[in-house]
């Protein structure tokens, strides 16, 4: 069951991205993030076509799921995700996110995910306007704004993302929708996290900001929480 602190109004969810974890001890790092107070575990599935790299497949996602009680935030950076939805829709607590740019029939894809009982999100790349998903906001649990170009960990935050978050937030408020805004890419315990939340994001993905060689996972999570203390999504 999702804890009340995760869904309470004004609470910012933190989703460590295991793409930046040490793959030699992936299960251990997932458990460390869980124990450190993560709300979700973000899993980037890459196919080497929609994005240049190849990352996780079904078997590894299943292994990550066994390493935590937290929902998985499964980010499908793949072409024609409809062909593989059945391999990732396995737990009702998981969230499935597809890219607007990767779906030929986006409305149909969203509907299939919702029919499977999962929360659904749509991501937009830095060059994709907010208008690409505005009409679909009533159907979405999550609108994901990419603040880097997808495919690689460790990139720098693109400030344009903040304005996109603001516009999405305005549209969500105007329509009275329940869609949450997530930001993914270059999020650290600094202005990148703070400005994203002030603009309206209530979910933050952080990879190297949580998994890095300079500090323990619980210390990194603590710094992120401290950075966000007192902030309420705009």
């Amino acid at each position: 069951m999702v804890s009340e602190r995760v869904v309470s109004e004004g609470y910012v969810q933190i989703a460590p991205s295991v793409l930046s974890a040490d793959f030699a001890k992936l299960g251990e790092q997932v458990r460390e993030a869980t124990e450190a107070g993560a709300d979700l575990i973000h899993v980037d599935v890459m196919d080497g076509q929609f994005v240049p790299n190849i990352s996780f497949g079904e078997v590894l996602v299943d292994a990550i799921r066994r390493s935590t009680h937290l929902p998985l935030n499964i980010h499908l950076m793949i072409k024609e995700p409809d062909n593989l939805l059945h391999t990732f829709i396995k737990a009702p607590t998981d969230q499935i996110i597809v890219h607007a740019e990767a779906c030929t029939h986006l409305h149909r894809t969203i509907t299939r995910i919702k029919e499977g009982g999962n929360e659904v999100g749509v991501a937009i790349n830095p060059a994709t306007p907010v208008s690409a998903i505005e009409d679909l906001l009533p159907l979405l649990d999550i609108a994901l704004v990419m603040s880097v170009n997808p495919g690689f960990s460790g990139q720098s935050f693109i400030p344009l993302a903040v304005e996109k978050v603001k516009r999405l937030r305005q549209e969500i408020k105007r329509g009275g929708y329940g869609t949450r805004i997530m930001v993914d890419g270059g999020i650290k315990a600094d202005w990148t996290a703070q400005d994203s939340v002030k603009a309206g994001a209530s979910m933050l993905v952080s990879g190297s900001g949580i998994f890095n060689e300079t500090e323990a996972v619980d210390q990194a999570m603590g710094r992120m929480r401290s950075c966000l203390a007192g902030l309420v999504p705009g």
Side-chain angles (χ1 to χ4, degrees):
M1 179 177 294
V2 180
S3 90
E4 292 186 3
R5 70 185 175 92
V6 169
V7 297
S8 62
E9 185 176 356
Y11 180 78
V12 179
Q13 295 178 289
I14 298 175
S17 173
V18 294
L19 187 64
S20 295
D22 183 345
F23 283 18
K25 49 181 182 178
L26 187 56
E28 178 184 338
Q29 294 229 293
V30 169
R31 287 188 288 272
E32 288 176 0
T34 301
E35 293 168 3
D39 300 291
L40 311 160
I41 300 297
H42 185 81
V43 183
D44 287 310
V45 178
M46 304 178 185
D47 63 357
Q49 297 182 63
F50 180 68
V51 293
N53 282 336
I54 297 173
S55 62
F56 307 109
E58 178 185 7
V59 173
L60 197 49
V61 172
D62 289 346
I64 293 170
R65 191 180 288 112
R66 291 193 297 270
S67 300
T68 182
H69 66 273
L70 295 175
L72 299 190
N73 185 252
I74 302 175
H75 183 185
L76 299 180
M77 289 184 270
I78 60 179
K79 281 188 174 182
E80 300 180 0
D82 289 75
N83 296 335
L84 292 173
L85 286 180
H86 67 282
T87 67
F88 297 106
I89 298 179
K90 293 185 177 180
T93 56
D94 290 348
Q95 300 162 341
I96 308 295
I97 298 174
V98 296
H99 267 263
E101 305 87 357
C103 299
T104 303
H105 301 289
L106 183 55
H107 182 277
R108 183 174 65 192
T109 304
I110 291 169
T111 301
R112 282 191 61 194
I113 295 170
K114 292 182 77 71
E115 288 174 347
N118 294 83
E119 287 197 325
V120 60
V122 172
I124 52 175
N125 286 335
T128 302
V130 168
S131 59
I133 60 170
E134 281 179 349
D135 289 346
L136 297 172
L137 289 175
L139 301 176
L140 299 182
D141 299 293
I142 300 167
L144 173 56
V145 175
M146 292 299 300
S147 44
V148 298
N149 287 295
F152 301 92
S153 62
Q155 297 181 69
S156 297
F157 185 92
I158 298 173
L160 173 66
V162 174
E163 295 305 314
K164 295 173 79 170
V165 171
K166 289 179 181 177
R167 179 172 171 184
L168 269 172
R169 186 58 178 156
Q170 289 171 354
E171 290 300 315
I172 290 168
K173 283 185 174 181
R174 182 186 60 80
Y177 309 132
T179 315
R180 286 113 62 202
I181 301 173
M182 172 176 264
V183 178
D184 178 8
I187 294 288
K188 309 288 185 183
D190 57 18
W191 68 270
T192 56
Q194 293 172 339
D195 284 6
S196 296
V197 171
K198 290 175 184 176
S202 60
M203 306 173 77
L204 299 177
V205 177
S206 182
S208 56
I210 301 298
F211 299 110
N212 58 73
E213 297 179 353
T214 62
E215 59 187 343
V217 171
D218 60 344
Q219 292 176 322
M221 282 290 298
R223 284 199 308 110
M224 186 68 76
R225 290 287 183 208
S226 295
C227 170
L228 299 174
L231 292 181
V232 175

